[in-house]
Amino acid sequence: AQSVTQPDIHITVSEGASLELRCNYSYGATPYLFWYVQSPGQGLQLLLKYFSGDTLVQGIKGFEAEFKRSQSSFNLRKPSVHWSDAAEYFCAVGRETSGSRLTFGEGTQLTVNP
Amino acid sequence: NAGVTQTPKFRILKIGQSMTLQCTQDMNHNYMYWYRQDPGMGLKLIYYSVGAGITDKGEVPNGYNVSRSTTEDFPLRLELAAPSQTSVYFCASSYRNSEQYFGPGTRLTVT
């Protein structure tokens, strides 16, 4: 069965600092990988996705993620965090043959200090 | 496009009551999903549908039912509500295996 682990429950960074959120997945073949962001009281918004091809993917709001098959990881990065980036971030994995059923990690809560 | 809409936004139910959570999408997506999100947890898939007339169970289907009579609508039915069903419910849709688009959620409390 597929699974996703987000090792960091809560991360605090200063505004302007760089950010890396970790995501490790378990799946036997090439996965579909996603990062979503959820602001308080809101639904989830897609930041970026990886299906195939270039392992470094660019997303919205200045985020990027790198797929590393050897490490089963799909870490999310941003070079300079803004206060508006404070939110909860979810990594998710899906399978090509599963009708887009996604398995989500438990999320990483990001706090941004001024 | 309105995207994925959900009603109601909030609801309080008494134990044993039933209700239907509504979900509509106007993107002509064939796939639709229902998730629940418990505090401090990720999303768990309840049911999903790959097209009108086709539904299937997800990870946590017990206590819920769904139907999909049209492409646009995917209601979630709670029968005999229990405190364990207190959660935030999200509906989502996608075109085949592409990214899923989420509604704003329904916050349900069962007391």
Side-chain angles (χ1 to χ4, degrees):
Chain A
Q2 61 201 49
S3 66
V4 176
T5 302
Q6 293 181 244
D8 304 304
I9 296 173
H10 193 187
I11 283 183
T12 299
V13 299
S14 298
E15 191 168 17
S18 63
L19 172 70
E20 182 170 30
L21 302 182
R22 296 183 289 164
C23 172
N24 294 100
Y25 68 89
S26 173
Y27 178 59
T30 299
Y32 287 5
L33 293 160
F34 306 83
W35 274 100
Y36 284 87
V37 61
Q38 184 181 32
S39 297
Q42 303 294 314
L44 278 70
Q45 180 184 22
L46 180 72
L47 283 176
L48 47 80
K49 62 187 178 186
Y50 172 78
F51 282 4
S52 64
D54 192 349
T55 57
L56 184 63
V57 293
Q58 302 296 321
I60 63 171
K61 304 184 180 185
F63 285 92
E64 67 177 26
E66 187 171 12
F67 171 57
K68 293 186 177 180
R69 183 190 301 275
S70 61
Q71 298 176 18
S72 297
S73 69
F74 189 57
N75 294 349
L76 181 71
R77 300 193 294 250
K78 186 169 184 178
S80 178
V81 171
H82 188 263
W83 64 266
S84 60
D85 293 324
E88 187 147 26
Y89 292 79
F90 292 95
C91 181
V93 63
R95 297 180 290 170
E96 182 178 5
T97 58
S98 68
S100 210
R101 293 177 60 173
L102 295 182
T103 298
F104 284 83
E106 294 189 353
T108 297
Q109 183 68 46
L110 174 65
T111 298
V112 180
N113 287 335
Chain B
N1 288 349
V4 179
T5 57
Q6 293 182 237
T7 57
K9 285 187 170 56
F10 303 93
R11 183 72 186 268
I12 298 174
L13 279 182
K14 293 190 185 303
I15 295 171
Q17 288 185 322
S18 61
M19 76 165 293
T20 299
L21 281 66
Q22 302 292 345
C23 175
T24 300
Q25 54 93 8
D26 63 358
M27 297 174 282
N28 202 31
H29 286 164
N30 48 350
Y31 289 15
M32 295 187 74
Y33 316 81
W34 274 106
Y35 295 91
R36 60 176 287 171
Q37 183 181 31
D38 299 322
M41 304 292 288
L43 278 70
K44 303 288 186 186
L45 183 65
I46 305 171
Y47 272 95
Y48 68 104
S49 168
V50 300
I54 306 170
T55 63
D56 206 349
K57 295 178 181 179
E59 189 179 353
V60 289
N62 292 344
Y64 307 94
N65 279 300
V66 294
S67 60
R68 183 98 181 269
S69 57
T70 68
T71 298
E72 296 78 20
D73 300 307
F74 190 41
L76 177 72
R77 178 82 177 165
L78 278 71
E79 305 281 2
L80 297 175
S84 61
Q85 293 178 305
T86 293
S87 190
V88 181
Y89 291 84
F90 289 101
C91 179
S93 72
S94 70
Y95 178 69
R96 295 186 182 176
N97 289 331
S98 64
E99 64 266 28
Q100 296 182 18
Y101 293 82
F102 285 80
T106 294
R107 187 174 297 273
L108 176 67
T109 301
V110 182
T111 62

